[in-house]
Amino acid sequence: MGPRLNLLAPEVRANPYPYYAELRRTSPVCQVAPGDVWAVTRYDDVITVLKNPLLYSSEGMRRATCPAWLEDAPFAHSMVVHDPPVHGRLRALVNRAFGPMVLNRLEPWVREQAESLAARLTAGQTVDLIEAFNRPLPVRVIRELLGLEPSLEPLFPRWADDLTSTSSVAPGDLARMEEIRFTVREARRHLSAVLERRRLCPGQDMVSELIAARVEGEALTDAELLGFLLMLLIAGMETTIHLLSHSARLLMEHPEVLKRVRADRSLVPQLVEEVLRCEPPVHGILRVTTSETELSGVWLPAGAWVMAMLASANRDESHFPDADRFDIDRPGPQNLPFGFGIHFCLGAPLARLEVRLGLEALLSRFSAIVPRGPVTWNHSLSVRGPRSLPVELVAG
Ligand code: HEM
């Protein structure tokens, strides 16, 4: 057996898909670096993992996000780290507050934000599309959803960075631990203030509805409310930024698609679905086995870290003919990029809405997007996207 594939090696980060294809062909359940996690790369096996939460537990997410040195870990009370029955109770409580009503209320506002951000972009100059457009849009949406002040937006990138890097802090790096603890306290303080304001003066917004939500007479506790708001902040931001960035990249690589979608905006939703399949922002979802089990002929011990590789499953030839081809006419929607089973992404409709409206705003002003520099990739096992995206926009 050769050395373990390192999922974070620069050449794998730059283009992981040939490596995933090789794993699907030769070793669909095998240990990879870093961390010796078991990568599960075939579509059917990924579904098996995600639909069996009692065997493949979200305790994996808890261990990655709630280290012992972070006394009051931000996600300890959020649904994404829980299995049934706790997960079901939390999800039922937030479901209504996060339903279609929220989207209907937000849609005109999101469109306005997308158009005003697009209007600030200048054609004929090199810009980092992430800084100028792809980041500000989801940041504004999540800020509005959470009822936070616009002046806090500049803090969000640090909050996201710190709250998602808890698992990669070296054991002796006390300074980094303190930085993260400071960020958690700061984010909690601002979100607690929102909760207090909405308690005193409820409105027609998601936070007020979360506070009022009851299932069999039971409400969310304060710790659960804060955990949920913090999770939304993280779950809804980087992923959507990456989806906008992947969309722009694929449109640059496929100018004929850009032309077609520009001529017929009703194709934007199917464009978004194919971007999600070809370049999903979430590459892997962590789970931990609760007992010894067999998957595709491989025995996994109890307590094994398992990574369900969504980005590989989306290109599994047995489910997607000519899987590496970017083809917006494939039948959709592509739901697997948002997970599967009980933890299926609660924000999928919102993410789709934001990216559709974002792309519509860009397409209505610009006739082409031209790459103007190399792309560097972020450094995370679970989420993949460019750090910066230098481009030139062509007026049209
Ligand atoms: C393109 C953007 C997005 C992608 C690709 C994405 C992907 C995912 C995936 C794969 C999961 C499953 C995690 C697991 O099984 O452990 C998930 C869960 C979740 N996502 Fe998203 N997400 C996106 C945007 C959003 C947005 C905008 C929000 C909300 C503002 C959101 C909120 C959530 C929540 C609350 C969960 C946890 C659900 C549960 O545990 O029951 N996501 N997401």
Side-chain angles (χ1 to χ4, degrees):
M1 205 170 69
R4 284 181 183 163
L5 175 70
N6 182 351
L7 293 179
L8 292 181
E11 64 282 10
V12 181
R13 277 322 265 170
N15 181 9
Y17 300 105
Y19 299 94
Y20 293 164
E22 181 65 8
L23 291 183
R24 281 196 304 278
R25 208 173 52 78
T26 59
S27 22
V29 179
C30 73
Q31 282 182 286
V32 293
D36 297 335
V37 291
W38 292 85
V40 174
T41 44
R42 285 187 185 157
Y43 187 99
D44 291 341
D45 291 337
V46 164
I47 299 289
T48 300
V49 170
L50 297 180
K51 77 175 183 203
N52 286 301
L54 295 180
L55 184 54
Y56 297 95
S57 161
S58 289
E59 178 64 23
M61 299 292 267
R62 174 194 296 283
R63 287 194 206 161
T65 56
C66 308
W69 53 263
L70 194 57
E71 304 87 27
D72 202 0
F75 305 125
H77 300 279
S78 70
M79 67 180 100
V80 77
V81 303
H82 284 293
D83 298 323
V86 177
H87 171 269
R89 175 185 158 269
L90 291 174
R91 181 128 181 168
L93 275 162
V94 302
N95 246 343
R96 222 179 51 107
F98 212 76
M101 293 267 289
V102 173
L103 282 201
N104 293 342
R105 274 202 304 259
L106 270 181
E107 179 160 352
W109 188 86
V110 179
R111 179 176 286 110
E112 207 181 288
Q113 300 303 312
E115 285 170 0
S116 88
L117 284 167
R120 288 190 345 205
L121 298 170
T122 315
Q125 288 178 4
T126 299
V127 290
D128 176 359
L129 197 62
I130 297 183
E131 286 314 313
F133 190 84
N134 300 353
R135 182 180 301 283
L137 184 60
V139 161
R140 285 185 187 183
V141 172
I142 206 76
R143 195 257 304 145
E144 174 74 10
L145 199 63
L146 297 179
L148 290 165
E149 296 300 321
S151 61
L152 295 176
E153 280 177 12
L155 301 180
F156 286 12
R158 171 167 57 81
W159 289 4
D161 195 41
D162 285 358
L163 296 179
T164 50
S165 52
T166 47
S167 58
S168 55
V169 179
D173 194 347
L174 302 182
R176 182 72 186 122
M177 291 177 192
E178 189 40 43
E179 268 170 18
I180 296 178
R181 283 195 285 257
F182 172 83
T183 292
V184 172
R185 285 195 296 271
E186 182 181 60
R188 274 181 190 285
R189 199 173 61 246
H190 288 295
L191 288 168
S192 300
V194 173
L195 285 174
E196 216 167 291
R197 281 200 295 277
R198 296 291 191 268
R199 276 214 170 91
L200 285 174
C201 187
Q204 279 220 318
D205 57 88
M206 187 200 68
V207 177
S208 303
E209 281 168 23
L210 279 174
I211 293 172
R214 298 287 181 276
V215 167
E216 290 168 13
E218 229 189 301
L220 287 162
T221 64
D222 273 10
E224 288 166 348
L225 278 167
L226 271 178
F228 182 65
L229 298 182
L230 277 165
M231 190 190 55
L232 282 191
L233 188 89
I234 303 310
M237 223 165 42
E238 286 304 299
T239 46
T240 313
I241 295 167
H242 292 331
L243 185 55
L244 279 164
S245 301
H246 290 313
S247 304
R249 282 185 54 247
L250 283 162
L251 286 174
M252 286 192 261
E253 284 170 22
H254 299 273
E256 73 293 350
V257 174
L258 187 145
K259 217 167 146 195
R260 207 178 134 204
V261 177
R262 214 171 169 245
D264 178 359
R265 302 293 156 74
S266 72
L267 295 175
V268 173
Q270 58 197 79
L271 161 70
V272 176
E273 295 307 309
E274 183 62 351
V275 175
L276 277 163
R277 187 192 69 83
C278 269
E279 286 285 12
V282 177
H283 271 224
I285 303 183
L286 264 184
R287 297 289 189 260
V288 168
T289 52
T290 52
S291 57
E292 189 190 23
T293 187
E294 185 254 311
L295 188 63
S296 266
V298 175
W299 277 98
L300 300 170
W305 288 79
V306 172
M307 176 88 93
M309 302 297 295
L310 300 181
S312 171
N314 281 321
R315 298 220 188 183
D316 188 329
E317 302 73 7
S318 66
H319 276 261
F320 302 101
D322 205 359
D324 284 333
R325 199 158 71 86
F326 180 64
D327 173 8
I328 68 165
D329 297 314
R330 279 179 202 274
Q334 303 298 341
N335 284 324
L336 191 58
F338 291 109
F340 185 87
I342 61 167
H343 290 283
F344 183 78
C345 177
L346 208 59
L350 175 60
R352 286 180 161 123
L353 175 85
E354 282 180 58
V355 175
R356 172 170 65 78
L357 296 178
L359 292 177
E360 281 177 8
L362 289 177
L363 289 167
S364 67
R365 285 187 172 261
F366 304 106
S367 58
I369 313 174
V370 185
R372 283 288 179 251
V375 167
T376 53
W377 296 93
N378 73 334
H379 199 72
S380 149
L381 265 186
S382 57
V383 176
R384 178 175 175 268
R387 281 191 216 269
S388 65
L389 199 56
V391 302
E392 182 185 322
L393 297 156
V394 180

